[in-house]
C-alpha cells in the first residue's frame, strides 16, 4: 500500500511519500535507544509539563488538525474537532495521574521493606489504524511517554500527514529529540522491527490479520504486545427500555466515524415485542442523516476511508442479502458522485446462524435481529468471535445484572452507547484482542513491574 494522502471524498491523490529505507530506519532506532537512556531519568514533573504543552497545542490548533484528519480519512469535520479535543484530554489525564499510577506500592512481607516499582522498558512500537488517526496515537503516547518509555509510530499508510503532525506536536511540546518518532514505513517492515533489539514491545490497533501477524512476529522474539482489534458489538434493546432514547443512541453508535469504529454498534438485537417500533424509528433516523462533504459542519456521514473498504462492505451487504437478509434502506454504493460514499443501510431478517451475521461490518450498515427474550438476546450477542464492547438497554434491574455478567465483552454499557474514556480501561476479549489501554491498566502494560525485597 502506497504511503499517500488520497482524499476519500474525491478520490484525488494529494501527496505521496517515499517510505524510509533501511538505513533511515536504523538511524531512527539508534536515536530512540539514545533518547531512552536520557529520557528514563527525567521526572514525572518534566514529562507532565511536556504532555500538558502538547494538550495546549492540540487545543490551540484543533481546527488545522481536524482538517488534516478529514482530508486524509473522511470523518466529518465536527467529529475530527471533537477527536482533537479528546486527545488533549487524555494528555492532561495522564499528565495529572501518571505519577500516582506508577508510584511504588508497599507490600507487607517477611522482609524489612518490600514493594513494587514500575520502570520503563525502552522503545515501544505502535502500529496504528487510520480511523481515529489522532486519538489512537495519543491514547498510546500519553501513558507510554509518562511511564518513561520512548515511542515509535508506524501509522496507517493512508494518514501520513497526521502521523507527521503528531510527531511535530510532541516535539514542539518540548519532549527531547527522539522520544517520539514517526516511521513512514509499510506494514511489511513491522516484523523486522520486532526482531530488532532496540524495540522492546509493541501495541497494534487494527484488523485481526494484522494483529495475528504482529503477535506471531513478537512471539518469535518473546516480546510483549497489546492488541486492540475488530468488533461486532451488539446493541441490545429489551422490552422495558426507553425506546426513543435507544434509537437516538443506536443511530450515533452505528454512524460514528462514518460507521468505521471498532466499538460501533453493529448488530442490533431487539425484543420482538418492541421490534416493529424500534425498526420504524431507526429507519426514520437513518433517512434523516445528511450524507456528503465531510468538510461541512452539518454533515452526518462522510465517505468511507478507501475504495477497498467500500468494496468489502458492499460485498458483505450482498452476502447478507444472499443469505436471506432484507434491505430496508440503502444497500448500494452512492455512484452518483466521486469518492467512497455508502448510504446509511439497514438489513433485517438475516438468519442468526449464517456466517455473515458474525462478521464485522466496517461502515454505515446496521444489522437488525429480533429475539423473543433476554436469554435469546444474550445468546445472540455472544454468537460472534469478537468481544469488544456491548450496549444494552433495559430499565429492569435483574435484566441489567444478567447483561453485565453474561455478555462476553471487554465493556458493557447499560442505557448508553459504548465509548472510550481516559478514566476507564479499554480493550477486548476473544478475537478482539488482549491487554488494555487507558486508565491505570493502560499505563501498566508497558512497564517492568519490579518486585523489591529488602531483608
Ligand atoms: P489494518 O489493515 O489492520 O491496519 C491497521 C494498521 O496495521 C496499519 O498501520 C497497517 O499498516 C498495519 N498493518 C496491516 N497489516 C499488517 C501486518 N500484516 N503486520 C503489521 N502491521 C500491519 O486495519 P484497518 O482496516 O486499517 O482498520 C480497521 C480495523 O481496525 C477494524 O477491524 C477495526 O475494528 C479495528 N480497530 C480496532 C480498534 C480497537 O481499539 N479495538 C480501534 C480502531 C480500529 P498499512 O496501513 O501500511 O497497511
Amino acid at each position: 500500500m502506497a504511503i499517500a494522502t488520497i482524499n476519500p471524498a474525491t478520490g484525488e491523490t494529494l501527496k505521496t511519500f517515499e517510505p524510509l529505507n533501511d538505513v533511515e530506519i536504523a538511524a531512527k532506532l539508534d536515536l530512540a535507544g539514545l533518547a531512552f537512556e536520557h529520557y528514563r531519568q527525567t521526572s514525572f514533573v518534566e514529562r507532565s509539563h511536556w504532555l500538558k504543552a502538547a494538550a495546549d497545542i492540540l487545543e490551540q490548533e484543533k481546527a488545522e488538525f481536524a482538517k488534516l484528519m478529514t482530508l486524509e480519512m473522511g470523518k466529518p469535520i465536527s467529529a475530527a474537532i471533537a477527536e482533537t479535543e479528546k486527545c488533549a484530554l487524555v494528555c492532561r489525564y495522564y499528565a495529572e495521574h501518571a505519577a500516582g499510577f506508577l508510584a511504588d506500592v508497599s507490600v507487607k512481607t517477611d522482609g524489612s521493606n518490600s514493594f513494587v516499582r514500575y520502570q520503563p522498558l525502552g522503545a515501544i512500537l505502535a502500529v496504528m489504524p487510520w480511523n481515529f488517526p489522532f486519538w489512537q496515537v495519543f491514547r498510546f503516547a500519553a501513558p507510554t511517554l509518562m511511564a518513561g518509555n520512548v515511542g515509535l509510530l508506524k501509522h496507517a499508510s493512508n494518514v501520513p500527514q497526521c502521523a507527521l503532525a503528531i510527531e511535530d506536536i510532541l516535539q514542539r511540546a518540548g519532549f527531547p529529540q527522539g522520544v517520539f518518532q514517526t516511521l513512514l514505513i509499510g506494514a511489511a517492515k513491522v516484523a523486522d522491527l520486532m526482531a530488532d533489539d532496540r524495540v522492546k514491545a509493541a501495541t497494534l490497533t487494527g484488523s485481526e490479520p494484522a494483529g495475528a501477524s504482529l503477535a506471531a512476529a513478537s512471539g518469535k522474539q518473546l516480546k510483549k504486545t497489546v492488541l486492540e482489534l475488530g468488533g461486532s458489538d451488539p446493541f441490545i434493546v429489551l422490552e422495558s427500555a426507553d425506546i426513543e432514547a435507544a434509537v437516538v443512541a443506536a443511530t450515533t453508535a452505528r454512524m460514528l466515524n462514518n460507521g468505521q469504529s471498532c466499538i460501533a454498534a453493529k448488530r442490533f438485537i431487539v425484543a420482538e415485542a418492541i421490534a416493529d417500533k424500534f425498526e420504524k424509528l431507526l429507519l426514520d433516523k437513518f433517512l434523516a442523516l445528511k450524507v456528503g462533504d465531510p468538510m461541512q459542519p452539518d454533515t452526518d456521514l462522510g465517505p468511507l476511508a478507501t475504495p477497498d473498504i467500500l468494496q468489502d462492505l458492499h460485498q458483505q451487504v450482498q452476502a447478507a442479502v444472499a443469505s436471506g437478509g432484507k434491505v430496508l434502506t440503502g444497500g448500494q454504493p452512492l455512484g452518483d458522485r466521486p469518492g467512497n460514499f455508502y448510504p446509511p443501510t439497514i438489513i433485517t431478517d438475516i438468519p442468526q446462524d449464517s456466517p455473515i451475521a458474525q462478521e464485522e461490518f466496517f461502515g454505515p450498515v446496521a444489522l437488525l435481529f429480533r429475539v423473543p427474550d433476554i436469554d435469546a438476546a444474550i445468546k445472540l450477542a455472544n454468537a460472534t468471535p469478537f468481544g469488544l464492547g456491548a450496549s444494552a438497554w433495559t430499565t429492569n434491574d435483574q435484566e441489567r445484572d444478567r447483561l453485565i455478567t453474561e455478555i462476553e465483552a471487554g465493556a458493557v454499557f447499560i442505557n448508553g452507547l459504548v465509548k472510550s474514556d481516559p478514566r476507564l480501561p479499554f480493550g477486548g476479549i476473544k478475537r478482539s484482542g488482549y491487554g488494555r489501554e487507558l486508565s491505570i491498566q493502560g499505563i501498566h502494560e508497558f512497564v517492568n513491574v519490579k518486585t523489591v525485597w529488602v531483608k
Side-chain angles (χ1 to χ4, degrees):
M1 192 170 169
I3 301 178
T5 301
I6 302 171
N7 184 348
T10 62
E12 199 185 345
T13 300
L14 300 172
K15 205 164 178 179
T16 54
F17 293 80
E18 264 311 298
L20 297 179
N21 62 36
D22 289 346
V23 174
E24 289 164 328
I25 295 172
K28 287 193 182 268
L29 293 179
D30 275 344
L31 180 60
L34 284 174
F36 177 61
E37 287 316 314
H38 164 73
Y39 184 65
R40 67 183 307 172
Q41 316 289 346
T42 58
S43 67
F44 284 117
V45 174
E46 285 171 289
R47 294 174 203 162
S48 99
H49 174 75
W50 295 321
L51 205 54
K52 282 183 192 153
D56 290 342
I57 295 172
L58 284 159
E59 280 161 358
Q60 284 153 12
E61 299 173 29
K62 64 184 172 190
E64 291 311 307
F65 300 136
K67 248 191 241 161
L68 202 51
M69 281 188 243
T70 299
L71 186 74
E72 292 201 303
M73 54 65 67
K75 73 173 60 206
I77 191 79
S78 49
I81 290 172
E83 179 169 338
T84 319
E85 289 166 348
K86 195 167 169 183
C87 292
L89 186 74
V90 78
C91 289
R92 293 196 194 287
Y93 173 78
Y94 278 110
E96 194 177 323
H97 295 287
F101 290 160
L102 297 175
D104 289 353
V105 179
S106 180
V107 182
K108 234 179 152 33
T109 67
D110 58 343
S112 66
N113 183 16
S114 44
F115 57 94
V116 175
R117 173 160 295 173
Y118 299 103
Q119 292 185 310
L121 298 176
I124 314 295
L125 173 68
V127 182
M128 290 289 138
W130 46 265
N131 63 343
F132 292 94
F134 269 55
W135 169 246
Q136 302 287 1
V137 178
F138 276 97
R139 84 176 181 190
F140 152 76
T144 306
L145 300 186
M146 280 309 296
N149 294 305
V150 302
L152 293 167
L153 170 64
K154 181 267 175 279
H155 215 326
S157 292
N158 55 334
V159 289
Q161 296 195 59
C162 288
L164 292 170
I166 293 167
E167 180 184 56
D168 183 58
I169 291 167
L170 292 167
Q171 258 172 31
R172 280 197 278 147
F175 283 100
Q177 226 214 338
V179 166
F180 186 92
Q181 299 181 81
T182 285
L183 310 177
L184 289 184
I185 51 171
K189 286 280 177 206
V190 170
D192 291 349
L193 286 178
M194 289 319 297
D196 193 294
D197 273 351
R198 290 163 290 191
V199 175
K200 304 301 180 197
T203 180
L204 180 143
T205 300
S207 60
E208 280 179 272
S213 162
L214 181 85
S218 313
K220 270 194 203 149
Q221 308 299 332
L222 303 176
K223 289 180 185 173
K224 181 170 180 181
T225 50
V226 166
L227 299 180
E228 300 286 1
L229 308 178
S232 185
D233 283 10
F235 188 105
I236 299 173
V237 189
L238 297 179
E239 198 175 338
S240 69
D242 176 344
I243 300 177
E244 277 79 13
V247 168
V248 172
T251 308
T252 308
R254 179 59 282 201
M255 293 302 157
L256 191 78
N257 213 36
N258 303 337
Q260 304 159 119
S261 167
C262 52
I263 48 168
K266 290 168 188 148
R267 297 175 299 133
F268 296 83
I269 299 171
V270 185
E272 185 66 61
I274 52 157
D276 284 344
K277 183 173 177 193
F278 182 88
E279 194 174 293
K280 185 184 171 316
L281 291 175
L282 191 71
L283 179 61
D284 291 346
K285 286 266 176 246
F286 273 34
L287 291 174
L289 292 169
K290 185 154 184 243
V291 183
D293 179 0
M295 287 291 179
Q296 295 305 319
D298 59 343
T299 292
D300 298 308
L301 189 69
L304 296 168
T306 67
D308 284 354
I309 294 166
L310 177 75
Q311 197 188 339
D312 290 351
L313 184 70
H314 188 50
Q315 275 171 7
Q316 287 179 303
V317 168
Q318 288 173 315
V321 171
S323 78
K326 210 173 96 196
V327 175
L328 274 193
T329 183
Q332 287 292 335
L334 296 175
D336 59 339
R337 61 186 95 188
N340 317 316
F341 287 92
Y342 206 84
T345 298
I346 300 176
I347 310 180
T348 62
D349 296 353
I350 301 176
Q352 294 180 11
D353 57 355
S354 68
I356 194 74
Q358 302 198 353
E359 286 187 16
E360 175 182 36
F361 281 61
F362 215 56
V365 178
L367 311 184
L368 243 63
F369 300 94
R370 293 174 181 231
V371 286
D373 53 29
I374 185 172
D375 294 316
I378 292 172
K379 188 163 172 237
L380 182 56
N382 290 339
T384 159
F386 300 107
L388 196 52
S391 172
W393 294 70
T394 176
T395 51
N396 176 304
D397 290 353
Q398 278 162 354
E399 285 181 350
R400 182 197 61 206
D401 292 346
R402 280 196 62 194
L403 292 159
I404 293 170
T405 307
E406 295 178 37
I407 290 179
E408 297 165 359
V412 176
F413 280 64
I414 301 292
N415 298 332
L417 59 90
V418 180
K419 56 179 190 248
S420 62
D421 179 322
R423 296 165 295 186
L424 290 168
F426 183 94
I429 58 168
K430 296 160 76 177
R431 294 189 73 84
S432 291
Y434 51 75
R436 290 294 178 268
E437 294 192 279
L438 301 177
S439 189
I440 185 170
Q441 286 81 7
I443 203 168
H444 283 171
E445 289 287 0
F446 295 120
V447 287
N448 174 18
V449 182
K450 187 181 271 180
T451 297
V452 181
W453 184 94
V454 183
K455 189 170 164 59

